[in-house]
Amino acid sequence: MCALQQHLLDVVVSRATVLKASWCSCVLLAFAAPTTGRRVIADATSSKRGGFEHPEEERRERRRARPVPRGMAWRSHGTDNDSLVDALVRNRVLKTRKVIDAMRRVDRGNYCLPFSGQNAYEDHPLPIGSNATISAPHMHAACLELVHDRVTENARVLDVGSGSGYLTSCFAAMLDQHDSYAAGSIRAEEVEDRRPGLSDTKYPIVVGVEHIEDLVDFSIKNVKKDGKVKYLEGPEPLVVLKVADGREGYPPYAPYDVIHVGAASPEKPIKLLKQLANGGRLVCPVGRGWQSLRVFDKDSNGRVSEFDAMGVTYVPLTSAKEQTDGSKGLFA
Ligand code: SAH
């Protein structure tokens, strides 16, 4: 099968799956589209675009910019969590030990509605209520792979549109690599440093921001069901799940080393970029209708460069009202 046929097949498969996922108000990878591989240098607030400075840099970015190998989207089905992760590894969507371990330790079945059964381990989004879905596993895997090297020991992570809480838990599992995190295990002086708003102090935290209260409640239940109650406990928990409008980011814990956005921003997410730490990476679908998964890197001087990782179709970042009354459609 030639590349074009393969690509068309992916589009058809993905569309069918989109329809299958009923409400479809969430992340839906539509196609592993050819990437632009284009490097853009700009400061966080400008829209000035530029080109690659070196051919080698361009080649590197082109390679990196394809987190899901062509033809491998929507194919990584399992019947339980381990076989799902195995399929993602086999299909080269998952490559990094830290990400693989995290996805093994977070059981997707605990973040889906109870009647989802084995479907929870198939490679497509599933409804979770409130006109939202849990994203497809290959999208979760691709996004984690894109940011894995920034999720270091003391990283701060913001997950915008945290929905089921699945990806938020994966980030926490990456920070808790040896499954040894214990609530309250932080030394007293560090606790002192961990007050919100002290952005120059270093400690690990994953903040999930979701604008539908029912979904935040659902995500908290899911984290507990997955045996990770310790992440939520203690004076300074590793995981914080908040009801808030993610378009504003979440200033109390900013700046973040990693920001992941689980719904599409119609344009460059300037407010979120302002909350990205120097050296940090923000991954966000950008555009209306057909979008690209855009990766923004902020260097040590605060300069931002960006590239498109792949074509995607996510639901838009909306107001809670638009989402619940259904006035904002899938391809808004
Ligand atoms: N990543 C999550 C959910 C992705 S779906 C998961 O896989 O489970 C997109 C999510 O973004 C939905 O839960 C939706 O409610 C949320 N969302 C949409 N607009 C938002 C906004 N303005 N602020 C916060 N969350 C938003």
Side-chain angles (χ1 to χ4, degrees):
M1 192 181 294
C2 75
L4 179 62
Q5 286 170 318
Q6 181 66 73
H7 177 66
L8 289 173
L9 180 64
D10 277 350
V11 171
V12 171
V13 169
S14 64
R15 290 295 169 204
T17 312
V18 164
L19 292 172
K20 195 172 156 194
S22 61
W23 302 271
C24 295
S25 69
C26 175
V27 184
L28 305 164
L29 171 69
F31 59 107
T35 60
T36 65
R38 188 155 166 233
R39 192 75 173 170
V40 181
I41 312 284
D43 75 35
T45 51
S46 112
S47 56
K48 185 169 155 264
R49 297 172 78 100
F52 284 103
E53 283 165 21
H54 305 290
E56 182 44 41
E57 187 193 1
E58 176 165 6
R59 269 197 296 278
R60 208 174 42 242
E61 288 308 337
R62 277 188 193 284
R63 273 199 305 275
R64 221 167 48 150
R66 211 173 283 138
V68 179
R70 284 210 182 99
M72 288 307 165
W74 308 97
R75 304 274 174 85
S76 306
H77 304 300
T79 51
D80 57 22
N81 204 58
D82 266 337
S83 57
L84 167 63
V85 174
D86 289 344
L88 289 162
V89 172
R90 215 170 29 248
N91 290 336
R92 287 171 293 123
V93 182
L94 277 177
K95 299 162 203 148
T96 309
R97 172 61 46 205
K98 187 164 55 169
V99 182
I100 297 168
D101 285 351
M103 285 187 69
R104 281 206 198 281
R105 283 190 284 131
V106 179
D107 188 330
R108 190 170 194 265
N110 288 325
Y111 297 80
C112 296
L113 290 171
F115 53 77
S116 299
Q118 280 201 341
N119 288 342
Y121 305 107
E122 290 178 2
D123 194 8
H124 49 68
L126 285 171
I128 52 172
S130 304
N131 280 341
T133 54
I134 179 172
S135 310
H138 69 269
M139 266 327 293
H140 284 143
C143 289
L144 291 172
E145 285 286 342
L146 279 168
V147 298
H148 75 88
D149 59 346
R150 263 78 171 183
V151 187
T152 51
E153 207 178 339
N154 286 320
R156 291 183 193 201
V157 179
L158 177 64
D159 183 22
V160 173
S162 45
S164 65
Y166 173 83
L167 204 65
T168 315
S169 279
C170 286
F171 281 123
M174 284 167 79
L175 286 168
D176 180 30
Q177 275 187 65
H178 306 293
D179 214 6
S180 57
Y181 179 87
S185 64
I186 298 139
R187 283 176 296 133
E189 59 273 28
E190 287 169 335
V191 171
E192 191 56 30
D193 275 352
R194 291 184 64 174
R195 282 168 309 189
L198 292 184
S199 54
D200 54 343
T201 59
K202 274 293 189 184
Y203 57 87
I205 190 162
V206 189
V207 183
V209 170
E210 166 58 56
H211 65 164
I212 308 287
E213 191 169 359
D214 283 353
L215 287 178
V216 174
D217 293 344
F218 177 62
S219 64
I220 292 171
K221 277 193 201 125
N222 295 341
V223 173
K224 291 180 181 166
K225 192 160 51 152
D226 201 28
K228 295 177 170 51
V229 68
K230 62 182 180 174
Y231 288 171
L232 302 165
E233 289 177 336
E236 298 292 344
L238 181 61
V239 171
V240 173
L241 291 157
K242 294 278 182 194
V243 183
D245 185 342
R247 292 172 292 190
E248 305 298 318
Y250 198 73
Y253 295 95
Y256 300 95
D257 301 290
V258 170
I259 301 179
H260 166 267
V261 187
S265 172
E267 57 251 337
K268 190 168 178 166
I270 303 286
K271 286 186 181 167
L272 297 180
L273 278 169
K274 287 188 174 150
Q275 292 176 30
L276 188 66
N278 288 358
R281 173 168 277 193
L282 185 159
V283 176
C284 179
V286 179
R288 297 165 200 269
W290 296 104
Q291 308 128 8
S292 57
L293 187 65
R294 196 160 298 167
V295 179
F296 299 89
D297 288 332
K298 196 181 261 191
D299 72 14
S300 54
N301 298 315
R303 275 165 56 88
V304 175
S305 59
E306 61 186 78
F307 65 93
D308 290 339
M310 58 185 171
V312 290
T313 305
Y314 280 58
V315 292
L317 280 168
T318 59
S319 68
K321 183 174 177 307
E322 279 174 318
Q323 182 170 327
T324 45
D325 71 12
S327 60
K328 201 96 174 190
L330 176 58
F331 301 111

